[in-house]
Amino acid sequence: MIDPDVFDLDFEGHLKRVAELTDDVLIPAEAEMVETGAVPEHVMEALARGGLFGISIPRALGGLQWNMTQQVRMTMEFTRASCVYRSRFASVIGLCSQAILDHGTEEQCKRMLPGMAAGELITAFALTEPGAGSDAGSLTTTARRGKDGGWVIDGHKRYITNAHWADELVVFARTGSSREGAGGVSAFLVPRRSRGLETRPATRMNGHAEAPVAEITFTSVEVDDSALLGDRLGGGFPAALRGINHARLHVAATCVGQATRILEETAEHLLGRDQFGAPLADLGAVQADLGECFAELEAARALTVAAAEDFDTGSIPRHRIAAAKLFSTEMASRVADRCVQLLGGEGIVGDHPVPRMWRDVRALRIYEGSSPIHERNLGRAVVRQVRSDGTLPDTYRVTGRQTV
Ligand SMILES: Cc1cc2nc3c(=O)[nH]c(=O)nc-3n(C[C@H](O)[C@H](O)[C@H](O)COP(=O)(O)OP(=O)(O)OC[C@H]3O[C@@H](n4cnc5c(N)ncnc54)[C@H](O)[C@@H]3O)c2cc1C
C-alpha cells in the first residue's frame, strides 16, 4: 500500500522522498540482495509504500499520475541504485499498466490498476517465445474458443520478467481471427495460478541475477471471456506497443541513473587511489575518460527528457523514444566498461558495485528491442520519411521541406 502522505506530496516533494529512499534504503540493501540472491522483502515493501508501483497510474485508479517527464526524472533518481530493483516492478508500471489503461475495458482497469498501483497485484508481460524474439509477430501461442465459451490457451513463453512472482500475466496469443503476423494476435489477462499454467525461473542469469526471468508453459489453460484485453480480437499488438514504448523510455532513463552512479563511484575511487605519487583522479588521461563519460551521460539525459516532453504533448514519438533507448543503453555499457577499466583489479575482483552494474546494464541493450533492431528500424524510418516528404521521422523542423 502507498503511504497515505505520499498522495499529499507535490512532484518535487515526492522526487526528494524517492532520492532519500534510494540513498537510505535501496543502495545500502544491495549487499544483502547480492548475499541472499534476491531482492529483500523489506525493500519491496519500501518501494510499494514509497509509491514506486503507482507513478504511471491515474489518481482516480489509486496511482500518483506523474506525467512522462516526471516519471523519467524519478526513474533517473531511483536507478542510481541497482537496476535489479526496478526490474521487480518495471513490468507493472510500464509494460502492463499502460497496455491495460489504454486498451483495457473500464471493468479491467478498475479490477487491475488500483492493486497494481499499490504494489499488491504484480503483473508480467508475456510476449517473447522460443521461436519469436526480435520477430515477436511470429509468435505461436494460441487462444481458441472453449466448448462452453471462454478461451483455451496453449503455448510457451520465455524470458518473462516477474512471471514467477506475478499474480496476473498479460499474455499475447494468436486468436487466428484475422490476418497472419501481428494482426491475428490478441492480449489476455491470465491469473498465474490458473490450472495448466507453469512458470520456471531461469537457473542462471548473467546480470540481473537477483531477479531472474522465467519460462511459462500453457497447457490448455482456460480463462473466461472477460480475460480478453479490451474486449477486442486482434488488438494485441497495438496494446503491446503501448506498453513497450512507455517501457523503452523508462529503460533509457534507467541507463542515465545507472551511469550516474557508476561515474560517481568510479571518481570517488580514483580520488582515493594513489599511484605514481598522486591520486589517479589527477592524471590527465583519467580525467579525459571521465569527461567523455560525463558528456555521453548528459547527452543521454537530454535526449531522454526531450522524448518524454514530446510524449507529454499527446502523441507517442516512437522514433525519438527508440533513439533514446538505443543511445542511452549503449552509453551505459560504454561508461560502465570504461569505469571498470579505471578501477583496475577492483573492477574484476571483490565487491565494488561498478562491476556488478556493468553486468546488469548489459541486458538493457537486449530487451525492449535490441540495439541492432532499433538501428534497423530507425534507418528504415529515415529512408521512408525522406522518400515521402524529405524530412526526418518525428522531425523538429518547423517548416516543410523547401523544394528547389
Ligand atoms: C533480462 C531480460 C528480460 C526480459 N523480459 C521480457 C519480458 O518481461 N517480456 C517479454 O515478452 N520478453 C522479455 N525479454 C525478451 C526480450 O524482449 C528478447 O530477448 C528480445 O526481444 C530479443 O529476442 P531474442 O532474445 O529471442 O533474440 P533473437 O531474436 O534471437 O536475436 C538475437 C540477436 O540477433 C540480432 N538480430 C535479430 N534480428 C535482427 C534484425 N532484423 N536485424 C539486425 N539484427 C538482428 C540482434 O543483435 C539480437 O540481439 C527479456 C529478455 C531479457 C534478457
Side-chain angles (χ1 to χ4, degrees):
M1 191 182 122
I2 303 179
D3 281 340
D5 64 324
V6 170
F7 288 100
D8 297 332
L9 298 170
D10 63 8
F11 174 71
E12 296 301 330
H14 190 207
L15 184 64
K16 186 164 175 284
R17 171 88 71 99
V18 168
E20 287 162 0
L21 178 75
T22 305
D23 290 322
D24 300 344
V25 178
L26 303 185
I27 292 176
E30 287 174 354
E32 183 187 352
M33 178 178 77
V34 172
E35 184 69 25
T36 59
V39 178
E41 220 23 66
H42 71 88
V43 171
M44 294 305 296
E45 281 164 22
L47 291 168
R49 284 202 316 274
L52 273 304
F53 285 84
I55 59 175
S56 61
I57 294 174
R59 294 222 165 206
L61 290 164
L64 293 160
Q65 200 174 348
W66 302 129
N67 65 28
M68 184 56 106
T69 311
Q70 293 166 331
Q71 289 172 43
V72 302
R73 283 185 62 204
M74 195 165 274
T75 301
M76 288 169 184
E77 203 51 53
F78 64 74
T79 56
R80 287 186 295 107
S82 169
C83 63
V84 174
Y85 297 134
R86 177 194 165 268
S87 82
R88 282 298 305 271
F89 60 98
S91 55
V92 173
I93 56 175
L95 290 166
C96 295
S97 69
Q98 303 308 296
I100 294 169
L101 188 60
D102 277 14
H103 293 262
T105 61
E106 200 184 332
E107 183 278 321
Q108 287 166 338
C109 289
K110 284 187 177 152
R111 173 159 56 90
M112 303 283 296
L113 294 173
M116 291 168 72
E120 290 162 2
L121 195 159
I122 304 299
T123 52
F125 183 88
L127 177 64
T128 302
E129 299 182 357
S134 301
D135 181 14
S138 66
L139 64 84
T140 58
T141 294
T142 57
R144 63 191 152 76
R145 269 317 211 170
K147 276 201 221 86
D148 307 316
W151 296 90
V152 182
I153 302 176
D154 284 280
H156 188 183
K157 301 283 178 182
R158 73 169 177 183
Y159 302 157
I160 308 304
T161 299
N162 292 329
H164 201 59
W165 299 284
D167 301 294
E168 296 254 350
L169 309 169
V170 179
V171 179
F172 296 87
R174 194 162 292 287
T175 37
S177 56
S178 56
R179 295 170 286 133
E180 286 301 299
V185 171
S186 304
F188 295 87
L189 300 173
V190 182
R192 185 178 63 87
R193 295 188 188 282
S194 302
R195 186 180 307 168
L197 194 160
E198 265 184 61
T199 58
R200 281 174 307 283
T203 49
R204 188 178 294 276
M205 298 279 291
N206 297 305
H208 284 247
E210 301 82 8
V213 296
E215 281 190 52
I216 315 173
T217 48
F218 300 86
T219 311
S220 299
V221 174
E222 293 180 17
V223 289
D224 62 30
D225 284 339
S226 67
L228 177 67
L229 185 71
D231 215 3
R232 193 162 71 83
L233 278 183
F237 258 80
L241 285 172
R242 174 64 183 88
I244 286 170
N245 273 311
H246 196 100
R248 283 178 179 161
L249 212 34
H250 279 222
V251 167
T254 298
C255 289
V256 172
Q258 292 282 279
T260 301
R261 166 88 176 286
I262 288 170
L263 200 48
E264 285 174 357
E265 294 271 5
T266 302
E268 192 84 37
H269 169 88
L270 295 168
L271 279 164
R273 168 85 178 146
D274 283 8
Q275 287 292 281
F276 305 103
L280 284 175
D282 288 351
L283 291 176
V286 166
Q287 290 176 358
D289 261 357
L290 294 176
E292 201 170 354
C293 288
F294 181 70
E296 287 200 42
L297 164 60
E298 290 309 306
R301 188 191 309 276
L303 178 55
T304 302
V305 170
E309 286 169 351
D310 262 16
F311 191 107
D312 287 330
T313 63
S315 63
I316 296 182
R318 64 192 168 98
H319 301 301
R320 199 163 290 137
I321 289 172
K325 197 275 178 186
L326 169 63
F327 184 80
S328 301
T329 54
E330 293 291 324
M331 175 281 297
S333 266
R334 276 194 303 272
V335 166
D337 193 65
R338 280 195 209 109
C339 288
V340 165
Q341 189 69 36
L342 289 170
L343 289 170
E346 282 213 36
I348 301 295
V349 183
D351 295 326
H352 201 281
V354 167
R356 169 168 48 80
M357 297 172 83
W358 172 55
R359 284 196 305 276
D360 288 342
V361 296
R362 187 62 186 84
L364 302 172
R365 291 158 61 192
I366 293 174
Y367 60 70
E368 307 305 354
S370 69
S371 293
I373 288 286
H374 285 303
E375 285 165 353
R376 181 197 73 158
N377 289 350
L378 288 170
R380 281 182 174 177
V382 166
V383 170
R384 194 169 51 236
Q385 191 71 31
V386 169
R387 184 175 280 141
S388 142
D389 67 2
T391 70
L392 297 177
D394 294 338
T395 184
Y396 280 112
R397 282 176 60 163
V398 291
T399 58
R401 186 187 187 199
Q402 303 296 310
T403 46
V404 224

